[in-house]
Every structure is written in C-alpha cells, then in structure tokens.
Amino acid sequence: ENMFTGVRQGYKYKMKSVYAHFPININIINDNTLVEVHNFLGEKFVRRVNLLPGVTCKSTGTKDEIMLEGNDIENVSRSAALIQQSTTVRNKDIRKFLDGVYVSEKTNIVQLEE
C-alpha cells in the first residue's frame, strides 16, 4: 500500500528549525543529497547528514524550513529522523533547550482527486 502511494503520489516531509537564541543555518549541497546544519546552539561544529537513496531535499522559500521528498516512505522518514537526531541537545535540560530541526508536516507530493 505504501509503495503504491509512493509511486503514484510521493511523500513529502517539511522540517522546521526551532531556536531560542542562536539561529540555525541549514545548507543543502551535493545535488540535494547532503544537509549541513551550522551554528546549532552557537557551536562551530558542522553537522552533516547524508540523505538516504531516493530522497531529495529542497528549501521551501519560507524562513528556516526545508522539504524532503521521495517515493519510499521509509527512506524519507529515516532521513528526517537522521536530521532531527543530529540536532539532539546533550548534557542540558531538554525541557529548557528545545532547539533543533523538527518535522512539521507530512503530506504527499501530488494530491489525487478521489
């Protein structure tokens, strides 16, 4: 069922970066298959996430938002999870430090008329 939906409509996950003080910069490079997260919590370390096969990343045009698209729901959702896990806050109170990149919307690329 997921494979039929993926081939006919495709899957699209929108992700939004949330920050309190230091703005998170997201760069999409390497033919839309590599995501770099800069300035997370003011750190100089650059987090790089290679997207899984068949998944492409685009900027939506709105501020601090990216979009993952693909035909395989497992690869799209796992790529979103890898990006979210790369911005996990460690050694701090996670109730206070809510910074990170989170999935904000899960839809299909093409909306079919029933």
Short mmCIF file of all heavy atoms in Angstrom, two decimals, residues 13-37:
data_model
loop_
_atom_site.label_atom_id
_atom_site.label_comp_id
_atom_site.label_asym_id
_atom_site.label_seq_id
_atom_site.Cartn_x
_atom_site.Cartn_y
_atom_site.Cartn_z
N TYR A 13 7.98 15.49 3.45
CA TYR A 13 8.08 15.86 4.86
C TYR A 13 8.65 17.27 4.93
O TYR A 13 9.70 17.54 4.33
CB TYR A 13 9.03 14.92 5.61
CG TYR A 13 8.42 13.61 6.06
CD1 TYR A 13 7.51 12.93 5.28
CD2 TYR A 13 8.79 13.06 7.27
CE1 TYR A 13 6.97 11.73 5.70
CE2 TYR A 13 8.26 11.86 7.70
CZ TYR A 13 7.35 11.20 6.91
OH TYR A 13 6.81 10.02 7.32
N LYS A 14 7.97 18.16 5.64
CA LYS A 14 8.51 19.51 5.87
C LYS A 14 9.14 19.54 7.25
O LYS A 14 8.55 19.05 8.21
CB LYS A 14 7.41 20.56 5.78
CG LYS A 14 6.96 20.84 4.37
CD LYS A 14 5.99 21.99 4.33
CE LYS A 14 5.54 22.25 2.90
NZ LYS A 14 4.55 23.33 2.84
N MET A 15 10.33 20.12 7.33
CA MET A 15 11.04 20.23 8.60
C MET A 15 11.32 21.69 8.89
O MET A 15 11.64 22.46 7.98
CB MET A 15 12.34 19.44 8.57
CG MET A 15 12.15 17.98 8.28
SD MET A 15 13.66 17.05 8.52
CE MET A 15 13.71 16.97 10.29
N LYS A 16 11.20 22.07 10.15
CA LYS A 16 11.39 23.46 10.55
C LYS A 16 12.46 23.51 11.63
O LYS A 16 12.48 22.68 12.53
CB LYS A 16 10.07 24.01 11.09
CG LYS A 16 9.94 25.49 11.04
CD LYS A 16 8.49 25.85 11.29
CE LYS A 16 8.23 27.30 11.09
NZ LYS A 16 8.37 27.77 9.74
N SER A 17 13.36 24.50 11.52
CA SER A 17 14.38 24.66 12.56
C SER A 17 13.83 25.61 13.63
O SER A 17 13.29 26.66 13.33
CB SER A 17 15.68 25.20 11.97
OG SER A 17 15.49 26.46 11.41
N VAL A 18 13.98 25.18 14.88
CA VAL A 18 13.48 25.93 16.03
C VAL A 18 14.67 26.31 16.88
O VAL A 18 15.50 25.46 17.20
CB VAL A 18 12.50 25.06 16.84
CG1 VAL A 18 11.99 25.81 18.06
CG2 VAL A 18 11.35 24.60 15.98
N TYR A 19 14.76 27.58 17.25
CA TYR A 19 15.88 28.02 18.08
C TYR A 19 15.44 29.18 18.95
O TYR A 19 14.51 29.91 18.63
CB TYR A 19 17.08 28.43 17.21
CG TYR A 19 16.77 29.41 16.11
CD1 TYR A 19 16.79 30.78 16.36
CD2 TYR A 19 16.45 28.98 14.83
CE1 TYR A 19 16.51 31.68 15.36
CE2 TYR A 19 16.17 29.87 13.84
CZ TYR A 19 16.20 31.23 14.10
OH TYR A 19 15.91 32.13 13.11
N ALA A 20 16.13 29.32 20.08
CA ALA A 20 15.80 30.39 21.02
C ALA A 20 16.73 31.59 20.84
O ALA A 20 16.28 32.73 20.82
CB ALA A 20 15.89 29.88 22.45
N HIS A 21 18.02 31.34 20.68
CA HIS A 21 18.96 32.45 20.61
C HIS A 21 19.85 32.40 19.37
O HIS A 21 19.90 33.35 18.61
CB HIS A 21 19.84 32.46 21.87
CG HIS A 21 20.72 33.67 21.97
ND1 HIS A 21 22.00 33.67 21.48
CD2 HIS A 21 20.50 34.91 22.45
CE1 HIS A 21 22.54 34.87 21.68
NE2 HIS A 21 21.65 35.63 22.28
N PHE A 22 20.55 31.29 19.17
CA PHE A 22 21.47 31.19 18.03
C PHE A 22 20.72 30.67 16.81
O PHE A 22 20.18 29.56 16.84
CB PHE A 22 22.63 30.23 18.35
CG PHE A 22 23.51 30.73 19.46
CD1 PHE A 22 23.42 30.19 20.73
CD2 PHE A 22 24.41 31.74 19.23
CE1 PHE A 22 24.24 30.65 21.74
CE2 PHE A 22 25.23 32.21 20.24
CZ PHE A 22 25.14 31.66 21.50
N PRO A 23 20.67 31.45 15.72
CA PRO A 23 19.93 30.98 14.54
C PRO A 23 20.63 29.80 13.87
O PRO A 23 21.83 29.83 13.62
CB PRO A 23 19.91 32.20 13.61
CG PRO A 23 20.95 33.12 14.13
CD PRO A 23 21.20 32.79 15.56
N ILE A 24 19.86 28.77 13.59
CA ILE A 24 20.38 27.57 12.95
C ILE A 24 20.38 27.78 11.44
O ILE A 24 19.36 28.16 10.86
CB ILE A 24 19.51 26.35 13.32
CG1 ILE A 24 19.54 26.11 14.82
CG2 ILE A 24 19.99 25.11 12.58
CD1 ILE A 24 18.57 25.04 15.28
N ASN A 25 21.52 27.56 10.81
CA ASN A 25 21.63 27.69 9.35
C ASN A 25 21.67 26.29 8.75
O ASN A 25 22.44 25.44 9.18
CB ASN A 25 22.91 28.44 8.96
CG ASN A 25 22.91 29.85 9.49
OD1 ASN A 25 21.86 30.47 9.59
ND2 ASN A 25 24.08 30.35 9.83
N ILE A 26 20.84 26.07 7.73
CA ILE A 26 20.79 24.78 7.05
C ILE A 26 21.20 24.98 5.60
O ILE A 26 20.60 25.79 4.90
CB ILE A 26 19.38 24.17 7.12
CG1 ILE A 26 18.98 23.96 8.58
CG2 ILE A 26 19.33 22.86 6.37
CD1 ILE A 26 17.56 23.49 8.76
N ASN A 27 22.24 24.26 5.16
CA ASN A 27 22.70 24.32 3.78
C ASN A 27 22.42 22.99 3.11
O ASN A 27 22.65 21.93 3.69
CB ASN A 27 24.20 24.61 3.71
CG ASN A 27 24.53 26.00 4.19
OD1 ASN A 27 23.68 26.87 4.23
ND2 ASN A 27 25.79 26.20 4.55
N ILE A 28 21.94 23.05 1.88
CA ILE A 28 21.66 21.85 1.08
C ILE A 28 22.68 21.82 -0.05
O ILE A 28 22.70 22.72 -0.88
CB ILE A 28 20.23 21.89 0.53
CG1 ILE A 28 19.23 22.05 1.67
CG2 ILE A 28 19.93 20.64 -0.28
CD1 ILE A 28 17.87 22.50 1.23
N ILE A 29 23.53 20.80 -0.06
CA ILE A 29 24.61 20.75 -1.05
C ILE A 29 24.64 19.35 -1.66
O ILE A 29 23.83 18.49 -1.32
CB ILE A 29 25.97 21.12 -0.44
CG1 ILE A 29 26.30 20.23 0.76
CG2 ILE A 29 26.00 22.57 -0.02
CD1 ILE A 29 27.68 20.46 1.31
N ASN A 30 25.60 19.14 -2.56
CA ASN A 30 25.88 17.84 -3.18
C ASN A 30 24.66 17.31 -3.92
O ASN A 30 24.22 16.20 -3.68
CB ASN A 30 26.38 16.85 -2.12
CG ASN A 30 27.11 15.70 -2.74
OD1 ASN A 30 27.39 15.70 -3.93
ND2 ASN A 30 27.43 14.72 -1.94
N ASP A 31 24.11 18.12 -4.81
CA ASP A 31 22.97 17.73 -5.65
C ASP A 31 21.76 17.33 -4.81
O ASP A 31 21.11 16.32 -5.05
CB ASP A 31 23.38 16.58 -6.58
CG ASP A 31 22.44 16.45 -7.77
OD1 ASP A 31 21.85 17.47 -8.17
OD2 ASP A 31 22.29 15.33 -8.28
N ASN A 32 21.47 18.14 -3.79
CA ASN A 32 20.31 17.98 -2.90
C ASN A 32 20.31 16.67 -2.12
O ASN A 32 19.26 16.17 -1.74
CB ASN A 32 19.00 18.11 -3.68
CG ASN A 32 18.81 19.49 -4.26
OD1 ASN A 32 19.35 20.45 -3.77
ND2 ASN A 32 18.03 19.57 -5.32
N THR A 33 21.48 16.08 -1.85
CA THR A 33 21.52 14.83 -1.10
C THR A 33 22.33 14.94 0.18
O THR A 33 22.49 13.95 0.88
CB THR A 33 22.12 13.70 -1.95
OG1 THR A 33 23.44 14.08 -2.37
CG2 THR A 33 21.27 13.42 -3.17
N LEU A 34 22.82 16.12 0.52
CA LEU A 34 23.59 16.31 1.75
C LEU A 34 23.08 17.57 2.44
O LEU A 34 22.94 18.62 1.82
CB LEU A 34 25.09 16.45 1.45
CG LEU A 34 26.02 16.68 2.62
CD1 LEU A 34 26.09 15.44 3.49
CD2 LEU A 34 27.41 17.04 2.15
N VAL A 35 22.78 17.44 3.73
CA VAL A 35 22.27 18.56 4.52
C VAL A 35 23.32 18.91 5.57
O VAL A 35 23.81 18.03 6.28
CB VAL A 35 20.93 18.19 5.20
CG1 VAL A 35 20.46 19.31 6.10
CG2 VAL A 35 19.88 17.87 4.16
N GLU A 36 23.69 20.19 5.64
CA GLU A 36 24.63 20.67 6.65
C GLU A 36 23.90 21.60 7.61
O GLU A 36 23.18 22.49 7.18
CB GLU A 36 25.78 21.45 6.00
CG GLU A 36 26.77 20.60 5.28
CD GLU A 36 27.96 21.40 4.80
OE1 GLU A 36 27.89 22.65 4.78
OE2 GLU A 36 28.97 20.79 4.46
N VAL A 37 24.09 21.36 8.90
CA VAL A 37 23.48 22.19 9.94
C VAL A 37 24.60 22.98 10.61
O VAL A 37 25.50 22.39 11.21
CB VAL A 37 22.71 21.33 10.96
CG1 VAL A 37 22.09 22.21 12.02
CG2 VAL A 37 21.65 20.50 10.27
#
